[in-house]
Amino acid sequence: AQSVAQPEDQVNVAEGNPLTVKCTYSVSGNPYLFWYVQYPNRGLQFLLKYITGDNLVKGSYGFEAEFNKSQTSFHLKKPSALVSDSALYFCAVRSGYTDKLIFGTGTRLQVFP
Amino acid sequence: DAGITQSPRYKITETGRQVTLMCHQTWSHSYMFWYRQDLGHGLRLIYYSAAADITDKGEVPDGYVVSRSKTENFPLTLESATRSQTSVYFCASSEDRVIGELFFGEGSRLTVL
């Protein structure tokens, strides 16, 4: 069965500092990994995805994520956080054997001025 | 405007009543999904559809019914609402089974009294 874990309910970071939001996964076969962001009272928006190829994936708004197969992780990163990055972030995984995209429980990112 | 729209955005109903949440997309995406979002659980898949007249259960299908007579519409029905179905419901669509990202609607907030 597929599963995704986001071990931190909340991450706090000062504006201008680098940020990391953690995600680990479990799937059978090759993983297809996604990050989404949700602003208050809005639907989720796609940030980036890893399908194959380079382990470092670049996405929207300056975010990037690193796929680590040995650690089964897909952590979201940004070199310099902005207050406007404050939102709820979801990691999701799908295997090649299924149509279902399974989400983690989300991590709230709070960036302080 | 093109996109994915959900209606109603807000609904209050009573236990035992039937409720239908509507979802309409203008992209002609093959895949459509219904998720519910609850604190502490993140997003959980209720039902999904790979094409018109093809639907399948997700993680939490009990108490819900879906149909997909047309590619662009994917209504979700609660046949006899219960308080545990109080939640925010998100519809999403995707053009690809495995590698495509999901495009989400703005959500429908349902309260069952």
Side-chain angles (χ1 to χ4, degrees):
Chain A
Q2 333 179 152
S3 65
V4 178
Q6 293 182 244
E8 302 154 317
D9 290 336
Q10 180 155 331
V11 170
N12 299 316
V13 64
E15 188 174 33
N17 284 0
L19 69 88
T20 299
V21 182
K22 296 179 180 178
C23 172
T24 59
Y25 65 90
S26 174
V27 293
S28 299
N30 292 326
Y32 301 103
L33 296 152
F34 301 78
W35 275 101
Y36 290 82
V37 61
Q38 184 181 33
Y39 298 101
N41 300 313
R42 303 294 301 275
L44 280 71
Q45 298 175 29
F46 169 75
L47 274 179
L48 51 80
K49 64 182 176 182
Y50 172 82
I51 303 302
T52 187
D54 194 349
N55 290 342
L56 185 63
V57 178
K58 294 188 183 297
S60 306
Y61 311 121
F63 283 93
E64 57 189 28
E66 186 168 10
F67 171 63
N68 188 315
K69 188 173 183 178
S70 63
Q71 296 186 5
T72 62
S73 67
F74 189 56
H75 301 331
L76 182 70
K77 300 181 180 182
K78 188 174 182 181
S80 179
L82 299 172
V83 172
S84 58
D85 293 331
S86 299
L88 190 56
Y89 290 81
F90 289 95
C91 181
V93 67
R94 181 193 282 138
S95 79
Y97 303 131
T98 177
D99 298 331
K100 303 175 187 179
L101 186 64
I102 302 300
F103 285 81
T105 52
T107 298
R108 185 164 301 280
L109 174 65
Q110 191 72 46
V111 181
F112 295 95
Chain B
D1 289 338
I4 185 164
T5 56
Q6 294 183 231
S7 62
R9 291 291 313 279
Y10 303 91
K11 176 75 176 178
I12 300 174
T13 191
E14 296 177 338
T15 302
R17 298 215 176 212
Q18 183 179 80
V19 176
T20 296
L21 305 179
M22 305 300 293
C23 178
H24 175 80
Q25 53 111 348
T26 60
W27 292 302
S28 299
H29 286 168
S30 295
Y31 293 86
M32 296 189 75
F33 306 82
W34 274 106
Y35 287 87
R36 59 178 290 176
Q37 184 177 19
D38 304 287
L39 200 61
H41 291 280
L43 272 77
R44 291 181 291 175
L45 182 63
I46 303 170
Y47 269 95
Y48 68 107
S49 169
D53 297 322
I54 301 175
T55 62
D56 206 349
K57 296 178 180 179
E59 302 169 86
V60 289
D62 294 343
Y64 303 95
V65 175
V66 293
S67 62
R68 186 126 181 248
S69 57
K70 294 183 178 180
T71 300
E72 60 267 30
N73 296 326
F74 191 39
L76 175 74
T77 298
L78 290 66
E79 293 191 305
S80 179
T82 65
R83 289 180 181 165
S84 65
Q85 293 177 309
T86 293
S87 185
V88 181
Y89 291 86
F90 287 99
C91 180
S93 71
S94 175
E95 61 181 349
D96 186 276
R97 171 184 169 271
V98 176
I99 66 173
E101 58 266 32
L102 268 59
F103 294 86
F104 282 83
E106 295 289 280
S108 294
R109 184 178 293 275
L110 176 68
T111 301
V112 183
L113 302 177

